[in-house]
Amino acid sequence: MIKKLKGGINSCLTTERTRLARTTLLFIQELSTCLGDGFDQLADIFFPTIIKLTTRANKVYVSSASQTLKICIENSGASSTIPLFLEQLKNPSKTARIASVEALVLILSNNTPQDLEQFVDLIENAISTAVVDSSVEVRDLARQVFEQYRVSFEQRTEKFWV
């Protein structure tokens, strides 16, 4: 049923009306709370639009969108969205890159190594990309991603020292 409402929900997210967009973000947060791991399927539908909100100049949108991403990942794990966040590391918007690396930290900390195994090459690419980012904040967060990666995939960390 929610998939049928995708267009309306995404259009509410992209509106210039801050109250409507924030209410929609709160709805998505509650949806992730109720669905738990089941929200992972819906994350692919809503996260691209939410990430676009992190590129806006309005700080209310940026902070609300970032908070929604964090809550949804904490509730569902959302490991299937790793490719989306890796793609955002090339975004010219510093706030989108920060939100993406923060999301990767949470994804790594809220999933088991078995859940992440299929994405390990993408995670390694994300770390390699983020550690050389122009933003100090992104580089600092990349270190956190690496620490989480090291805990989950200790046997593969030698790759970064070569």
Side-chain angles (χ1 to χ4, degrees):
M1 167 127 154
I2 298 295
K3 288 183 180 181
K4 290 180 182 178
L5 300 173
K6 166 188 160 182
I9 292 171
N10 279 332
S11 120
C12 288
L13 286 171
T14 57
T15 184
E16 293 299 320
R17 297 176 59 201
T18 309
R19 278 190 172 170
L20 178 58
R22 287 186 72 193
T23 302
T24 307
L25 289 168
L26 290 172
F27 169 72
I28 292 172
Q29 290 175 20
E30 285 302 315
L31 198 57
S32 76
T33 302
C34 294
L35 295 176
D37 291 340
F39 183 80
D40 198 22
Q41 298 170 355
L42 297 176
D44 294 329
I45 294 172
F46 299 124
F47 278 14
T49 306
I50 295 171
I51 289 172
K52 285 180 188 172
L53 294 178
T54 66
T55 65
R56 292 202 174 176
N58 184 332
K59 289 187 180 190
V60 172
Y61 278 108
V62 173
S63 64
S64 297
S66 295
Q67 185 66 24
T68 298
L69 289 172
K70 290 175 189 175
I71 290 171
C72 291
I73 291 168
E74 287 170 355
N75 290 330
S76 69
S79 61
S80 67
T81 59
I82 290 173
L84 174 66
F85 293 117
L86 174 61
E87 181 182 311
Q88 292 304 312
L89 292 176
K90 299 172 189 154
N91 194 315
S93 168
K94 175 181 158 183
T95 54
R97 294 192 316 269
I98 290 170
S100 295
V101 179
E102 286 175 339
L104 288 171
V105 170
L106 287 171
I107 289 171
L108 285 169
S109 64
N110 286 293
N111 285 284
T112 65
Q114 293 79 20
D115 294 337
L116 299 170
E117 190 66 42
Q118 64 182 334
F119 302 109
V120 73
D121 291 332
L122 293 175
I123 295 166
E124 291 170 353
N125 288 342
I127 293 168
S128 299
T129 302
V131 296
V132 295
D133 194 89
S134 60
S135 167
V136 174
E137 295 165 89
V138 173
R139 291 193 307 263
D140 289 343
L141 288 164
R143 287 184 192 96
Q144 292 178 30
V145 173
F146 178 75
E147 288 303 316
Q148 290 293 329
Y149 169 84
R150 191 171 57 120
V151 168
S152 297
F153 303 102
E154 189 174 340
Q155 71 282 4
R156 293 183 64 121
T157 55
E158 295 173 8
K159 180 178 185 173
F160 287 98
W161 307 120
V162 180

